[in-house]
């Protein structure tokens, strides 16, 4: 039997912060004592419109990670939001610094992914690559340093085989 929420849940809107919404949902669910195996059903039925529910995988009960994936909240996306943050000299200082703190915490401690050091290493390495290499890695977001190394080695080999490596052509000729 599925529990009926006693707290009123508002729908997730297109301008809402998905991660903040899910944090509030989780606090509410724990406070209400809802069984975790029912969260996907409650969340899917209460907060997302039907097309978003289908796209997020709620028909299969995949839960919070599906919602985050659907809304583009990957490790790379969280890092990008942190790097895109800019201080507004006209805005309230305290709230801006708090917002930046939330962005960095979500990026560096947001899930069970790589260690903080590896997150920074992955992000900085990718930011230093050529646009072509960045596009290649964007297709298969590496979540570990080993994945990054393997993908970059494969990219280098592909560049060499296609003759796109200008230095190699110059050295051979």
């Amino acid at each position: 039997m599925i529990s009926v929420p006693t707290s009123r849940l508002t729908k997730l809107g297109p301008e809402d912060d998905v991660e903040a919404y899910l944090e509030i949902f989780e606090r509410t669910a724990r406070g209400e004592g809802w069984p975790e195996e029912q969260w996907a059903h409650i969340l899917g039925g209460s907060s997302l419109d039907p097309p978003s529910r289908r796209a997020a995988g709620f028909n299969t009960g995949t839960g919070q990670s599906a919602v985050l994936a659907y809304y583009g909240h990957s490790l790379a996306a969280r890092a990008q939001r942190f790097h895109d943050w800019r201080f507004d000299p006209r805005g309230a200082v305290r709230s801006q610094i708090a917002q930046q703190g939330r962005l960095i915490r979500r990026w560096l401690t947001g899930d069970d992914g790589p260690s903080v050091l590896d997150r920074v290493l992955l992000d900085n390495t990718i930011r230093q690559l050529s646009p072509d290499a960045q596009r290649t890695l964007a297709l298969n977001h590496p979540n570990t340093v080993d994945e990054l190394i393997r993908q970059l080695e494969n990219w280098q080999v592909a560049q060499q085989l296609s003759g796109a490596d200008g230095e190699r052509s110059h050295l051979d000729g």
Side-chain angles (χ1 to χ4, degrees), residues 61-112:
T62 55
Q64 181 174 348
S65 60
V67 174
L68 290 173
Y70 174 73
Y71 284 98
H73 289 266
S74 65
L75 180 60
R78 289 191 306 266
Q80 186 63 48
R81 277 191 289 287
F82 167 73
H83 288 291
D84 287 346
W85 181 86
R86 296 291 178 261
F87 181 78
D88 179 359
R90 298 172 309 244
V93 172
R94 186 174 305 274
S95 64
Q96 289 187 80
I97 299 303
Q99 178 192 28
Q100 184 184 30
R102 282 190 302 276
L103 290 172
I104 198 167
R105 274 190 299 283
R106 287 179 188 155
W107 171 36
L108 296 178
T109 62
D111 57 19
D112 294 332

Side-chain angles (χ1 to χ4, degrees), residues 95-148:
S95 64
Q96 289 187 80
I97 299 303
Q99 178 192 28
Q100 184 184 30
R102 282 190 302 276
L103 290 172
I104 198 167
R105 274 190 299 283
R106 287 179 188 155
W107 171 36
L108 296 178
T109 62
D111 57 19
D112 294 332
S115 70
V116 172
L117 180 65
D118 285 355
R119 289 171 194 245
V120 173
L121 185 137
L122 286 163
D123 180 68
N124 190 57
T125 300
I126 291 169
R127 288 178 184 281
Q128 301 301 318
L129 297 173
S130 69
D132 180 56
Q134 287 180 355
R135 278 190 298 277
T136 301
L137 290 176
L139 298 173
N140 301 306
H141 302 287
N143 286 319
T144 67
V145 173
D146 287 338
E147 286 178 24
L148 175 69

Side-chain angles (χ1 to χ4, degrees), residues 50-67:
S52 297
R53 240 190 340 265
R54 282 191 299 279
F58 277 108
N59 291 343
T60 59
T62 55
Q64 181 174 348
S65 60
V67 174

Side-chain angles (χ1 to χ4, degrees), residues 9-13 16 21 44-50 53:
L9 299 172
T10 59
K11 288 195 180 291
L12 180 65
D16 290 334
Y21 184 89
S46 302
S47 61
L48 299 173
D49 56 37
R53 240 190 340 265

